[in-house]
Amino acid sequence: MTEEIDFILESTEESMNGTIAHLEKEFLNIRAGKASPAMLGGVFVDYYGSQTPLSQVSKISVPDARTITLQPFEKNMLQAIEKAILIANIGFNPMNNGDMVIISVPPLTEERRRDLAKQAKSEAEDAKIGIRNSRKDANTDIKKLEKEGTSEDVCKSAEEEVQNLTNAYIKKIDELLALKEAEIMKV
């Protein structure tokens, strides 16, 4: 019977790790003032009729903290890349010099920083909900095992283990949020 409990604990931890990974990915999309290729992660270009990630049609580089350059693999993609960045509505105004697309990343205003911090808080709260859902699923599975005849003590200690996992992952989310907020609010 302990194999089943071990399996429940492992799958719960795996689910919680997935939630943390998703949160880190979401945090990359929240810009913190300095230019980064990750800022363009959600931009898709119409490439011969199919929506293709920007990184697959151009080389993205960051020459300095306020500039992103995009060197398309095909010259005729310049206008499509510019259009895709504007459609993505991420607050950038791309410029085309005939050879590459250049994006100047404007400095963040205090109000925009607060909005980004709120967005980060919201993402962290969603992650916490994911962690709690994983805990609920694990506890439901443990209760089923208890009904099937697993000893009450074993099930109690498994539930405590799930709660310890939950506490650890919620703490990790809080730490990631604190780091992201500090990064956003730093001028």
Side-chain angles (χ1 to χ4, degrees):
M1 281 297 181
T2 57
E3 285 178 18
E4 291 165 332
I5 286 180
D6 287 344
F7 176 74
I8 291 169
L9 292 173
E10 284 174 19
S11 63
T12 301
E13 189 163 9
E14 194 175 306
S15 169
M16 290 179 177
N17 274 327
T19 302
I20 294 290
H22 177 74
L23 177 66
E24 289 171 337
K25 187 173 166 244
E26 289 300 315
F27 276 176
L28 282 179
N29 292 334
I30 299 174
R31 73 184 188 103
K34 62 179 189 234
S36 156
M39 294 175 168
L40 301 172
V43 179
F44 290 85
V45 180
D46 183 22
Y47 186 66
Y48 297 108
S50 67
Q51 292 299 310
T52 309
L54 192 56
S55 59
Q56 292 181 14
V57 296
S58 67
K59 178 180 168 251
I60 303 172
S61 55
V62 182
D64 61 58
R66 294 262 174 251
T67 312
I68 301 173
T69 59
L70 298 118
Q71 180 75 52
F73 300 133
E74 298 176 29
K75 275 256 201 275
N76 63 341
M77 291 302 296
L78 280 169
Q79 278 77 29
I81 289 171
E82 269 187 297
K83 185 178 171 190
I85 292 168
L86 289 171
I87 290 172
N89 196 20
I90 48 179
F92 294 142
N93 193 10
M95 296 175 291
N96 169 354
N97 69 2
D99 200 31
M100 63 174 60
V101 175
I102 302 165
I103 300 171
S104 290
V105 179
L108 294 174
T109 63
E110 188 65 30
E111 183 182 342
R112 182 72 180 129
R113 286 179 196 281
R114 279 197 212 97
D115 289 345
L116 290 173
K118 279 183 194 166
Q119 186 182 345
K121 258 191 191 104
S122 169
E123 292 296 342
E125 202 48 53
D126 290 347
K128 286 180 183 179
I129 290 168
I131 297 291
R132 290 185 196 114
N133 285 340
S134 296
R135 175 185 61 191
K136 186 177 128 223
D137 294 344
N139 285 339
T140 303
D141 292 344
I142 291 169
K143 292 267 191 261
K144 275 186 204 162
L145 287 178
E146 193 173 349
K147 284 181 182 157
E148 293 170 6
T150 305
S151 84
E152 197 176 316
D153 290 343
V154 171
C155 290
K156 274 282 181 246
S157 71
E159 285 177 356
E160 285 174 17
E161 186 65 34
V162 168
Q163 186 58 46
N164 291 340
L165 276 175
T166 303
N167 293 344
Y169 279 92
I170 296 264
K171 185 174 184 241
K172 188 168 187 169
I173 289 170
D174 288 335
E175 290 167 359
L176 288 171
L177 176 62
L179 286 172
K180 189 63 180 180
E181 283 181 326
E183 182 184 331
I184 289 169
M185 298 312 281
K186 188 175 129 204
V187 179

